[in-house]
Amino acid sequence: MSAVSRRAFLSTGLLWSACLPAAMLTAQSGLVAAATPVWAGGGPRPPRVYTRSDWKADPPRSKAEVLDRAPDRLVVHHTATANTDATDLDAAFRLSRTIQRYHMKHNGWEDIGEQFTVSRGGYIMEGRNRSLPAVEAGKHVMGAQAADHNDHTLGIETEGTYTSTLPPARQLSALTALLAWLCDVYELDPHEAIIGHRDLNRTACPGDRLYAYLPRLRDDVARRLGERGGRDGPPPPRLALPGDQALDAVLVGDLPLEHGPALGPHDLAY
């Protein structure tokens, strides 16, 4: 499907819940879910993405820049936080607020850095402001998630630390669904587009175990797109530029962040 026809489909095929009767809205944890895409066929079913309004994001210091083109890489991160057992929706919302607060107050950024976050409970949250509408329009929001590569990459934070263990099954399932949707919207080959943060910068992110899982993740996404998995050949090339900083060498476990675990130096590395 061409980019034009795909964008036309997105503008007509996804009907937002704001247009539906209130009785059809889903309530969780006392919050009424909003902006749920209703699938009209033609590709992978869009995952449920909780908006910034849902998780009560603070206002950004400025509007994110929207580029009139698609990203060419989808970057998988881990947050380098504790592998918590708090996996409900409220915990996912607290995580997004914690990351945003850290990025804005500690790093001095305009807003949360990444475009999407996937919690350990399998909830997907919109990250940087304007990210979800940009995807729906086939465009790209400039984030702050991969140094020197933010103009052509979209970042997904995977809650947890995955140096020696994999994310839980429901988190991997949500990550797969999100990546399949993004590959479909942007017409990307998952075997080329899906990479780890360490493919761009000198960092341990997204952890050795999750990074080793990326070939399986690419195949799973390809199957959702109706393509053949198990592509032969080398992995996508590293795109690191000269002068990248050596970061994420150790975890930091004593940052005084309210309502959530301390963030590691991965979150300083953009």
Side-chain angles (χ1 to χ4, degrees), residues 135-233:
V135 172
E136 290 154 12
K139 299 181 180 182
H140 173 52
V141 157
M142 276 273 288
Q145 49 84 35
D148 300 317
H149 295 280
N150 287 304
D151 63 339
H152 70 100
T153 66
L154 181 150
I156 301 170
E157 291 275 20
T158 309
E159 180 190 10
T161 300
Y162 298 114
T163 56
S164 59
T165 187
L166 279 176
R170 54 191 168 184
Q171 188 176 26
L172 285 175
S173 178
L175 178 61
T176 303
L178 175 60
L179 287 167
W181 179 56
L182 293 171
C183 283
D184 185 59
V185 169
Y186 290 131
E187 298 184 319
L188 298 174
D189 180 342
H191 293 100
E192 296 179 357
I194 298 170
I195 61 173
H197 189 187
R198 66 176 64 179
D199 291 319
L200 301 175
N201 304 125
R202 294 191 184 116
T203 172
C205 180
D208 289 347
R209 190 70 179 88
L210 181 53
Y211 186 75
Y213 184 82
L214 291 185
R216 163 72 183 276
L217 184 62
R218 296 180 187 112
D219 287 348
D220 288 347
V221 170
R223 277 188 284 271
R224 289 202 179 210
L225 295 170
E227 302 171 6
R228 180 185 300 176
R231 170 174 296 192
D232 295 328

Side-chain angles (χ1 to χ4, degrees), residues 83-119:
N83 292 336
T84 177
D85 291 330
T87 58
D88 60 11
L89 184 59
D90 286 340
F93 288 177
R94 289 195 301 270
L95 171 71
S96 285
R97 290 194 295 267
T98 296
I99 296 174
Q100 185 191 36
R101 183 166 56 247
Y102 191 84
H103 285 181
M104 294 181 70
K105 293 185 178 181
H106 187 281
N107 294 4
W109 297 343
E110 300 300 296
D111 191 15
I112 194 170
E114 74 284 353
Q115 286 87 352
F116 294 97
T117 301
V118 181
S119 77

